[in-house]
Amino acid sequence: MEAVWNKLILTPEIRVSNANAMVGETVSLTWNDCGPVDEYRVRITCGDTVLTDQSVGTDLTYSVMYPAGTYSVEISAVKTDIVEDKASASFAVTETEQVTPAEPEVTTTTVITTTTTTETTTTETTTTETTATTADVTTAEVTTVGTTTTETVTTSAEAGASGLAGDVNNDNSVDLKDVTIMRRALAGWNVALNESAADVNKDNSFDLKDVVFLRRYLAGGWDIELK
């Protein structure tokens, strides 16, 4: 009898929805229908600690939300007292996403001006100011005969300029550029940020929960509204 059931029961093939999740995100485990089994057992461990070891009946999915750590998963297809077939997988949960600093874009403009008459030679000096409203800095350099003047000005975005929740760079749209600026601000970068627009979950503070909230809004499929 055991040989017959062995031919009918398949080995589980585990799929992990997010193998590198962030804290607060749900990780879903799914697997294939392995045949006429009595139950599937889910066992999840973190190091030597067993977090879950239970039967899920004949369901083909199981979801968890864990703190930061690396986790091992084992799914068993069980035919009571006859045969058991297992498969393993793993996933990790981290506190924050790693942000790779980007080199600032630099633009240089050079202007040379010379005015000459038959009697006198006049040297004119021109000063060009450049304003940057994001983390990218633009430098303008003006060169005249005998004089060079360079000035760079960085200003912070005016709070509530666009009136859109999540529009932290005040460009009148909410997109992944706003997520990047929020993540850089939390990582300690010197960036221009509209903190009023950054509090997207309206808990009167700007933190990692606002980044996760805005990413889910942009990804769609979540019951989330920006107010």
Side-chain angles (χ1 to χ4, degrees):
M1 178 65 69
E2 181 176 353
V4 174
W5 285 115
N6 268 320
K7 293 179 180 179
L8 296 177
I9 295 180
L10 305 175
T11 300
E13 296 178 2
I14 306 172
R15 293 176 292 277
V16 181
S17 65
N18 191 351
N20 293 285
M22 293 178 59
V23 171
E25 293 184 339
T26 299
V27 177
S28 296
L29 308 171
T30 58
W31 53 91
N32 56 304
D33 185 348
C34 297
V37 301
D38 292 326
E39 64 177 4
Y40 295 97
R41 294 197 65 83
V42 178
R43 178 183 175 88
I44 302 177
T45 59
C46 182
D48 296 329
T49 303
V50 178
L51 303 175
T52 298
D53 189 358
Q54 68 181 70
S55 170
V56 295
T58 56
D59 289 344
L60 300 178
T61 184
Y62 188 77
S63 297
V64 296
M65 184 183 294
Y66 284 147
T70 301
Y71 301 89
S72 297
V73 181
E74 183 179 88
I75 307 295
S76 301
V78 180
K79 184 68 178 177
T80 305
D81 299 329
I82 297 177
V83 65
E84 179 175 319
D85 219 336
K86 301 178 182 179
S88 300
S90 64
F91 62 92
V93 179
T94 56
E95 290 286 354
T96 59
E97 290 185 306
Q98 295 183 349
V99 179
T100 301
E103 292 293 332
E105 296 180 359
V106 178
T107 302
T108 301
T109 303
T110 302
V111 179
I112 300 176
T113 304
T114 302
T115 303
T116 304
T117 66
T118 57
E119 295 181 356
T120 61
T121 300
T122 303
T123 301
E124 297 181 353
T125 301
T126 306
T127 300
T128 301
E129 295 183 358
T130 303
T131 302
T133 57
T134 67
D136 295 334
V137 177
T138 302
T139 300
E141 181 179 301
V142 178
T143 303
T144 61
V145 176
T147 304
T148 301
T149 303
T150 302
E151 183 171 356
T152 302
V153 180
T154 302
T155 60
S156 298
E158 181 182 353
S162 71
L164 295 175
D167 180 21
V168 300
N169 62 356
N170 293 325
D171 64 353
N172 294 310
S173 65
V174 180
D175 50 32
L176 288 176
K177 291 186 289 186
D178 298 294
V179 174
T180 298
I181 291 176
M182 293 168 69
R183 287 167 51 192
R184 290 179 177 177
L186 291 173
W189 287 42
N190 182 19
V191 296
L193 176 77
N194 182 342
E195 291 195 13
S196 175
D199 181 21
V200 292
N201 64 356
K202 301 303 179 184
D203 63 354
N204 296 317
S205 65
F206 169 50
D207 50 31
L208 183 61
K209 291 184 289 185
D210 296 294
V211 177
V212 174
F213 191 95
L214 186 57
R215 286 182 58 203
R216 290 180 176 178
Y217 168 78
L218 293 173
W222 298 79
D223 187 14
I224 290 177
E225 294 183 1
L226 297 181
K227 300 179 181 180

